[in-house]
Amino acid sequence: MRIVALAGGIGGARFLRGLKDVVAPDDEITVIGNTGDDIHLFGLKVCPDLDTVMYTLGGGIHEEQGWGRAEETFAVKDELAAYGVGPSWFGLGDKDFATHIVRTQMLGAGYPLSAVTEALCDRWQPGVRLLPMSDDRVETHVRITDDGGSRAIHFQEYWVKLHAAVDAEAIIPVGADTAKPAPGVLEAIAAADVILFPPSNPVVSIGTILAVPGIREAVAAAAAPVVGLSPIIGGAPVRGMADKVLAAVGVEASAAAVARHYGSRLLDGWLVDEVDADAVESVTAAGIACRAVPLLMTDPAATAAMARAALDLAEQVRR
Amino acid sequence: MRIVALAGGIGGARFLRGLKDVVAPDDEITVIGNTGDDIHLFGLKVCPDLDTVMYTLGGGIHEEQGWGRAEETFAVKDELAAYGVGPSWFGLGDKDFATHIVRTQMLGAGYPLSAVTEALCDRWQPGVRLLPMSDDRVETHVRITDDGGSRAIHFQEYWVKLHAAVDAEAIIPVGADTAKPAPGVLEAIAAADVILFPPSNPVVSIGTILAVPGIREAVAAAAAPVVGLSPIIGGAPVRGMADKVLAAVGVEASAAAVARHYGSRLLDGWLVDEVDADAVESVTAAGIACRAVPLLMTDPAATAAMARAALDLAEQVRR
């Protein structure tokens, strides 16, 4: 079976680990990773979501933190601060720096991000085929108004520096309109037996992937059932700032509203948490098969059960 | 008093520390640093000689090693090796990486190396004005013949990887012929009250600086006395591979031969070690005032005495 999953960072990566636990040995998982939160720091190209997927599935992730490397040190960061070179709010560790150095060197030598990602995965052996959504530069910016006035800032500045403490007024995936899907992305979607939307951010993760021209259309046109898992439980995101960015696009932070935001043109099935069981009826009414199951990735077994439930629902809605 | 010193790496840097110990508080030292051993590693611009001077005079050097940072760690290097990305023979530590990251980012933003060096020195406060010999890229290559055939390799590969274990057949300062002296270099030489050649490598350090068109001529035309210190003691270099690269340019590895190699057009005075006292006569005969003094930089006091001797000789030969 060929499974395609669109994925953001921590939530997507953890779900994928559960998915790997339940698929058959000869099933193939292709992950289309969000690159809209990529950022250039210190002249280096940093791809937080791709790296979180790669480190998580490859066994290098900082488990408690959910991002970055385990047993990390921060000598480079401290030295950059001693030079007075910022930003200081993005926590790059020494091991992580090496990844960005290799990536930046390869990009500078002319390799596209997809080839670079494949090369990095040669080491990590994540057990999935990890594709960036695009080889073209896309950067999600967030429009805010605060003491600094009204302005658009990089998503990482909004989330990591400002902790999403101010309202997001608009989400702007800069460059997405002219980006092309990376090699293999549309082909994987077209050839998929199942397409999954993990409980990643529906706006700045999955939404950004779908904003690359051709990807949304390919998902909508795919023969495979498309099943998503709600990142919103009981009206709030499990982690992250989905509520803030959903508000920016006029969508309520609820499991049902996110399903309707994707819509029945994309989604065939939708899993909500048991606390949101009352959403099943309205989601079903919107033309999307819906089940209420436990959606907290509290441990590997719980995560695997979620993946199993998503695959089961895909079979139920398969036409 | 305005002192100009041409300098390579370890030997030059240690001498400069001694020089700082003996000059008056309002004396100004300008160091023209060799950039011929600069190398691009992992997409980063590494300037070993400039950094050795900066770290040594700024208090960050690894004292025993003579290069690199004190209390260094190697997480980035280990990770690069885990990615299979080389070379592995150049020992870049985590703290050192930060310097190269800052430098590369600034160069990428369009700043010339001289401005970058000034910015890095803002942190290190080396107590001298450190100028790269040129803002243009110059890379010393060494022609060798070994199992890999006859070929020219980067100086760092010759020295750090191959440990100068094969003969150097030619020294090629690639790019030197079209390089321009960095801003301030010619002006500093012209305005100098004393010009010093520390006991740096006469071929790949001082020789490369002098190979930048205009610098040799400026030193020769300078009103200031020019005094050098022999890096060769008792027929061998104190450290490094000067004997190998001197052979490549047809110069005997002796204190007297190095003085004659520079020549009386450049040098007004030359210090040899006491063990080379018999060289005084022949160097003097070549038109260069010569004194035999202890030239081993065994401790700060010995190094300061060498600097004092160089300044004293400069006064004696001042016209």
Side-chain angles (χ1 to χ4, degrees):
Chain A
M1 190 163 73
R2 288 159 296 189
I3 304 170
V4 168
L6 279 52
I10 302 176
R14 288 187 174 165
F15 173 78
L16 289 168
R17 195 158 54 178
L19 180 64
K20 279 176 63 185
D21 284 343
V22 300
V23 297
D26 58 347
D27 286 349
E28 293 172 8
I29 303 173
T30 298
V31 177
I32 300 169
N34 171 43
T35 58
D37 60 352
D38 291 3
I39 185 168
H40 283 79
L41 294 169
F42 313 108
L44 301 174
K45 173 82 163 181
V46 180
C47 300
D49 281 0
L50 294 181
D51 287 350
T52 295
V53 170
M54 185 172 77
Y55 294 158
T56 300
L57 300 185
I61 199 76
H62 187 300
E63 284 292 342
E64 295 70 39
Q65 192 171 252
W67 54 269
R69 294 288 307 279
E71 294 167 26
E72 187 58 287
T73 55
F74 294 89
V76 175
K77 179 178 161 73
D78 290 348
E79 283 297 309
L80 293 170
Y83 278 116
V85 173
S88 61
W89 46 264
F90 204 90
L92 293 177
D94 297 328
K95 295 180 179 181
D96 204 21
F97 258 112
T99 300
H100 312 316
I101 288 170
V102 173
R103 174 185 292 122
T104 305
Q105 183 180 19
M106 286 191 71
L107 290 170
Y111 292 92
L113 182 61
S114 49
V116 174
T117 304
E118 186 178 353
L120 294 172
C121 285
D122 271 350
R123 169 188 175 193
W124 288 103
Q125 297 291 319
V128 303
R129 183 172 169 230
L130 178 59
L131 303 177
M133 65 188 199
S134 177
D135 282 334
D136 301 318
R137 182 169 171 177
V138 178
E139 271 188 18
T140 303
H141 286 207
V142 180
R143 178 157 289 284
I144 63 164
T145 302
D146 65 3
D147 296 345
S150 177
R151 63 198 196 282
I153 60 177
H154 193 288
F155 168 72
Q156 298 293 355
E157 185 174 353
Y158 179 71
W159 172 229
V160 179
K161 184 180 181 190
L162 301 182
H163 309 293
V166 294
D167 286 344
E169 297 162 0
I171 309 300
I172 310 144
V174 178
D177 53 338
T178 58
K180 292 178 295 299
V185 165
L186 297 184
E187 294 80 353
I189 293 170
D193 297 304
V194 174
I195 298 172
L196 299 177
F197 291 3
S200 292
N201 189 301
V203 180
V204 296
S205 295
I206 309 255
T208 306
I209 300 172
L210 294 171
V212 176
I215 297 185
R216 176 184 294 274
E217 295 72 14
V219 172
V226 179
V227 171
L229 298 92
S230 177
I232 303 290
I233 297 183
V238 176
R239 67 160 57 234
M241 64 356 270
D243 50 338
K244 293 278 189 176
V245 294
L246 281 166
V249 298
V251 175
E252 182 187 83
S254 76
V258 172
R260 288 193 299 268
H261 173 60
Y262 284 132
S264 62
R265 191 168 157 263
L266 287 180
L267 283 183
D268 298 298
W270 186 243
L271 293 179
V272 299
D273 188 77
E274 290 177 317
V275 304
D276 296 310
D278 58 356
V280 171
E281 191 176 353
S282 75
V283 174
T284 305
I288 301 165
C290 187
R291 304 281 182 276
V293 298
L295 285 192
L296 282 174
M297 297 188 280
T298 45
D299 56 53
T303 309
M306 285 168 57
R308 183 76 266 161
L311 293 174
D312 286 348
L313 182 55
E315 292 312 312
Q316 292 167 28
V317 301
R318 190 181 296 281
R319 283 156 293 194
Chain B
M1 191 164 73
R2 287 160 297 189
I3 304 170
V4 168
L6 279 52
I10 302 176
R14 287 188 174 164
F15 174 78
L16 290 167
R17 195 158 54 178
L19 180 64
K20 279 177 63 185
D21 284 344
V22 300
V23 297
D26 57 347
D27 287 347
E28 293 173 7
I29 303 173
T30 298
V31 177
I32 300 170
N34 171 44
T35 57
D37 61 352
D38 290 4
I39 185 168
H40 283 79
L41 293 170
F42 313 107
L44 301 173
K45 173 84 162 178
V46 180
C47 299
D49 281 0
L50 293 181
D51 288 349
T52 294
V53 170
M54 185 173 76
Y55 294 158
T56 300
L57 300 185
I61 199 76
H62 186 301
E63 284 293 343
E64 295 71 37
Q65 192 171 255
W67 53 270
R69 295 288 307 279
E71 295 168 27
E72 187 58 287
T73 54
F74 293 89
V76 175
K77 179 178 161 71
D78 291 348
E79 283 296 310
L80 293 170
Y83 277 115
V85 173
S88 60
W89 46 264
F90 204 90
L92 293 177
D94 297 328
K95 294 180 179 181
D96 204 21
F97 258 111
T99 300
H100 312 316
I101 288 170
V102 172
R103 175 186 291 122
T104 305
Q105 183 180 21
M106 286 191 71
L107 290 170
Y111 291 93
L113 182 61
S114 49
V116 174
T117 304
E118 187 177 355
L120 294 172
C121 286
D122 271 350
R123 170 188 175 193
W124 287 103
Q125 297 290 319
V128 303
R129 182 172 170 230
L130 177 60
L131 303 176
M133 66 188 198
S134 177
D135 282 334
D136 301 319
R137 182 169 170 174
V138 178
E139 271 187 18
T140 303
H141 287 206
V142 180
R143 178 157 289 282
I144 64 164
T145 302
D146 65 3
D147 296 345
S150 178
R151 64 198 196 280
I153 59 178
H154 193 288
F155 168 73
Q156 297 294 355
E157 185 174 352
Y158 179 71
W159 174 228
V160 179
K161 183 181 181 190
L162 301 182
H163 308 293
V166 294
D167 286 344
E169 297 162 359
I171 310 299
I172 310 143
V174 179
D177 54 337
T178 58
K180 292 177 295 297
V185 166
L186 297 183
E187 295 80 353
I189 293 170
D193 296 304
V194 174
I195 297 172
L196 299 177
F197 291 4
S200 291
N201 190 301
V203 181
V204 296
S205 295
I206 310 256
T208 305
I209 300 171
L210 295 170
V212 175
I215 296 186
R216 176 183 295 273
E217 295 72 13
V219 172
V226 180
V227 171
L229 298 93
S230 177
I232 303 288
I233 297 183
V238 177
R239 68 161 56 236
M241 66 351 272
D243 49 340
K244 294 279 188 175
V245 295
L246 281 166
V249 298
V251 176
E252 183 187 82
S254 77
V258 172
R260 287 193 299 268
H261 173 61
Y262 284 132
S264 63
R265 189 166 159 265
L266 287 181
L267 283 184
D268 299 298
W270 185 243
L271 294 178
V272 301
D273 189 77
E274 291 178 316
V275 305
D276 296 310
D278 58 357
V280 170
E281 191 175 352
S282 76
V283 174
T284 305
I288 301 164
C290 186
R291 303 283 182 276
V293 297
L295 285 191
L296 283 174
M297 296 187 280
T298 44
D299 57 51
T303 309
M306 285 167 56
R308 182 76 268 159
L311 294 174
D312 286 348
L313 183 55
E315 292 312 313
Q316 292 167 27
V317 299
R318 190 181 296 281
R319 285 156 292 194

